[in-house]
Amino acid sequence: SSSSSSSSSSSSPLSAAIWRRTVASGTVIQTVREAFREAINLREARLVEPMYLVDLQCNDQVLRRLYAVIGRRRGRIISEDLKEGTQIFVVRCYLPVEKSFGFASSLRGRTSGMASPQLVFSHWETILEDPFFVPLTEEEKEEFGEGANLRVHNLARQLVDDVRRRKGLKVEEHIVEHAEKQRTLARKK
């Protein structure tokens, strides 16, 4: 029994020394980094977008124009209530932070100053589209199309490209699609 207690006590300082050397050499950090990278690569990429909760008050005369401004900026109406005894509507909606720049001035301009917003951060919303999606199978190519046409309909890809343009980074875009050489017919005199 004394030999077993001495062997367990002697292995403890040795394993502690090995542990210190392993941690000091950075292999744990490297292993964790590789594990995270592998876990991220297993899942499809998704973006999250910050959203504002917008409270708006306007009368019924400009309600349609208010909806047009919200819709143009990818806003989502949550509720629309009429204040009792008045003709004032209280509209609540979610608006992406990226689309909120110039929102107040645009709204006031379209509604002749009869609507004013109050924006408060609400939540982060996951964009369900993969920003790096490329159709590979015949079914996907038939359903989504091929090439640059796909970028037009992929919101996540558009957001990534907009950020890259704003930062002055390279953006993969095709300026001309399905181009044919144009010939100028010369007139013989």
Side-chain angles (χ1 to χ4, degrees):
S1 111
S2 64
S3 65
S4 66
S5 65
S6 66
S7 67
S8 66
S9 64
S10 66
S11 68
S12 173
L14 181 61
S15 63
I18 292 171
W19 175 251
R20 272 190 236 109
R21 192 170 350 120
T22 303
V23 171
S25 67
T27 57
V28 170
I29 294 171
Q30 181 180 358
T31 305
V32 170
R33 183 183 303 138
E34 289 174 10
F36 274 117
R37 188 172 290 134
E38 190 65 30
I40 289 170
N41 288 335
L42 287 175
R43 299 275 308 195
E44 293 177 342
R46 295 290 180 261
L47 297 179
V48 288
E49 182 175 37
M51 300 294 278
Y52 278 136
L53 175 64
V54 183
D55 286 324
L56 299 150
Q57 292 186 2
C58 68
N59 62 17
D60 58 344
Q61 297 168 349
V62 296
L63 194 60
R64 186 178 305 153
R65 287 182 266 169
L66 177 123
Y67 282 161
V69 173
I70 292 170
R72 198 173 304 120
R73 293 175 178 261
R74 291 191 2 237
R76 249 187 8 255
I77 306 293
I78 302 169
S79 67
E80 172 190 312
D81 299 318
L82 182 63
K83 278 190 176 180
E84 283 188 40
T86 65
Q87 291 184 345
I88 295 180
F89 282 89
V90 177
V91 178
R92 297 186 88 183
C93 68
Y94 289 129
L95 184 72
V97 171
E98 183 233 351
K99 296 292 186 178
S100 68
F101 302 110
F103 176 68
S105 59
S106 173
L107 184 67
R108 286 190 194 106
R110 292 281 293 151
T111 61
S112 304
M114 298 179 82
S116 59
Q118 180 179 357
L119 291 86
V120 178
F121 176 77
S122 175
H123 64 282
W124 291 88
E125 193 167 290
T126 303
I127 298 174
L128 298 177
E129 297 166 332
D130 183 355
F132 305 110
F133 174 73
V134 176
L136 299 174
T137 65
E138 289 300 320
E139 293 171 354
E140 288 176 343
K141 288 178 183 177
E142 185 178 315
E143 183 177 349
F144 299 110
E146 293 186 49
N149 190 25
L150 180 64
R151 290 180 175 277
V152 174
H153 303 294
N154 189 335
L155 173 64
R157 186 74 226 171
Q158 284 177 344
L159 292 174
V160 168
D161 288 346
D162 289 345
V163 169
R164 292 183 68 84
R165 266 188 219 95
R166 201 167 38 241
K167 291 186 172 191
L169 300 172
K170 182 182 174 192
V171 177
E172 297 176 22
E173 56 187 343
H174 302 283
I175 297 172
V176 178
E177 248 184 83
H178 309 295
E180 294 179 10
K181 187 174 180 181
Q182 181 178 355
R183 248 188 254 176
T184 307
L185 299 176
R187 292 185 190 180
K188 296 184 179 182
K189 295 181 181 180

